[in-house]
Amino acid sequence: MKNFLPSRRSFTLAAVAAAAFAAGAPAAWAADPLAVGILIPGSKSDKGWMESGYDGLVAAEKEQGTKVKVQMIENINYADMEQALTNLASKNKLVIGVGGQTQAAVYKVAKRFPNVKFSIVGGNKAEELPNVAGYDVKQAEIAFVAGAAAAMLSKTGAVSYVGGMEIPSIVNAGKEFGNGAKYINPKIKYFENYTGDFDNVAKSKEATLAAIAQGADVHYHILNLGLRGMEQAAKEKGTHIIGSYTDRCGSDPLYPAYSITGVGYQVQYAIREAVGGTWKPGYKAFGLAMGPQASDMVVCGATPEMKAKLEQIKKDIQSGKIKVLEG
């Protein structure tokens, strides 16, 4: 367990405020910032979901300045999430769980802390509580578009997907990735695998190598640190990966495309709403309907034809012409 401590800048500002208050400055000038606790179950440098969430936190701190004070806990096992969230809820007014895997623990803890607001990034429709908001990234939507992009990029006519925990949102995204690939090429071969762990490097490498052995040359994932295993396999065999969550075109030739799943955007949204007094409980769908910050597909160096096709697919998903699973 690792706590994120306030920056030196925060301590300095707090010291200045205290000195000014002691000298007779108005009390309002030294108003308390919103205390925000955030649980990032994996590594904040995983090049995936968790890093996107952390990037959103950094952006929110920059946006809000002294209006917020943040405590972060990262790298927590599933079994320890409830304890970590309890720790955060006892010290903060807003608690954010980054990832659907935090949802069950958030609901347990939220019932014990009715005066604390909880936001789940990657939350699905569930029991309604007056102090819990679930933000659905709609991974299945953009996975369909990613599958279409993968089929366009594939030279072998075979693509693959590796997911972590076999939970509905992750499985539905995998199915829609395959459906998107088949939408472009009905004869494409599609290989789907789950490691049972978002962070297991060895298992994700093994799953990717198995798919490569059957011809797959473009891979997609919903993994955290497990992505390292996929990268190792792809580098060894000369295949490619469609990245997730953040557009990093030009940073690594291993990645010819990226699906944007606004994990960081939702973290920033939760903090902005809480600071502004407009935070609301309940389920909220993000996805393509919320614009490119929330969901998008970027193919690095895409042809005009490819861009047009992907844009049409996104429009057809939003209109309901193409129907995708929840998740």
Side-chain angles (χ1 to χ4, degrees):
M1 183 182 295
K2 180 178 179 182
N3 286 330
F4 180 79
L5 298 175
S7 65
R8 183 176 298 173
R9 180 174 66 102
S10 299
F11 282 121
T12 302
L13 287 168
V16 171
F21 182 70
W29 193 82
D32 290 337
L34 175 72
V36 178
I38 183 166
L39 174 60
I40 296 182
S43 168
K44 69 179 188 291
S45 56
D46 66 354
K47 294 173 70 175
W49 180 286
M50 301 299 161
E51 185 166 339
S52 178
Y54 179 71
D55 287 346
L57 173 63
V58 172
E61 287 188 289
K62 183 177 180 181
E63 178 183 62
Q64 301 299 337
T66 56
K67 294 178 183 177
V68 297
K69 181 179 68 174
V70 174
Q71 177 190 9
M72 184 180 83
I73 298 176
E74 66 168 323
N75 283 324
I76 290 294
N77 293 326
Y78 188 80
D80 297 326
M81 285 184 192
E82 188 175 341
Q83 180 181 347
L85 287 163
T86 299
N87 181 332
L88 293 173
S90 67
K91 302 172 184 175
N92 297 283
K93 293 297 183 182
L94 171 68
V95 174
I96 303 171
V98 179
Q101 64 267 49
T102 69
Q103 181 160 309
V106 164
Y107 271 83
K108 287 183 180 179
V109 176
K111 291 174 182 177
R112 303 204 305 267
F113 292 88
N115 296 321
V116 176
K117 297 178 176 67
F118 293 81
S119 290
I120 306 165
V121 174
N124 297 316
K125 288 182 180 178
E127 176 187 1
E128 291 188 9
L129 293 179
N131 62 331
V132 177
Y135 304 146
D136 189 349
V137 299
K138 307 291 281 185
Q139 289 181 109
E141 276 188 354
I142 202 62
F144 185 100
V145 187
M152 294 178 193
L153 292 167
S154 175
K155 293 181 172 60
T156 62
V159 298
S160 73
Y161 168 84
V162 178
M165 290 177 66
E166 203 165 349
I167 56 180
S169 60
I170 308 303
V171 172
N172 287 352
K175 292 186 183 304
E176 292 302 347
F177 177 76
N179 289 339
K182 292 171 185 174
Y183 185 83
I184 297 296
N185 177 8
K187 295 183 179 180
I188 201 163
K189 294 179 181 178
Y190 171 54
F191 307 101
E192 183 178 329
N193 209 320
Y194 300 89
T195 64
D197 186 333
F198 291 109
D199 297 312
N200 193 306
V201 174
K203 285 185 178 180
S204 60
K205 181 177 182 180
E206 180 183 353
T208 306
L209 286 173
I212 292 171
Q214 297 177 82
D217 66 341
V218 180
H219 320 292
Y220 191 57
H221 72 94
I222 296 183
L223 298 166
N224 295 332
L225 281 178
L227 176 59
R228 300 288 187 269
M230 179 175 279
E231 288 180 329
Q232 291 169 14
K235 285 177 182 176
E236 288 175 13
K237 301 298 182 180
T239 60
H240 293 89
I241 301 169
I242 292 181
S244 296
Y245 317 121
T246 304
D247 176 6
R248 302 182 191 278
C249 276
S251 64
D252 189 339
L254 191 66
Y255 291 88
Y258 293 88
S259 68
I260 311 304
T261 311
V263 176
Y265 175 71
Q266 291 181 35
V267 170
Q268 198 170 359
Y269 176 88
I271 294 173
R272 184 185 299 136
E273 293 289 294
V275 169
T278 54
W279 182 96
K280 295 178 181 178
Y283 170 83
K284 183 176 179 62
F286 281 70
L288 292 168
M290 289 287 284
Q293 280 186 298
S295 187
D296 202 6
M297 185 71 223
V298 179
V299 177
C300 312
T303 64
E305 293 79 12
M306 187 180 292
K307 286 182 180 179
K309 185 64 175 177
L310 293 175
E311 284 301 316
Q312 188 60 53
I313 289 172
K314 289 190 291 183
K315 289 177 182 177
D316 288 345
I317 290 173
Q318 291 184 74
S319 71
K321 184 177 179 180
I322 295 175
K323 298 186 184 300
V324 299
L325 296 166
E326 291 293 324

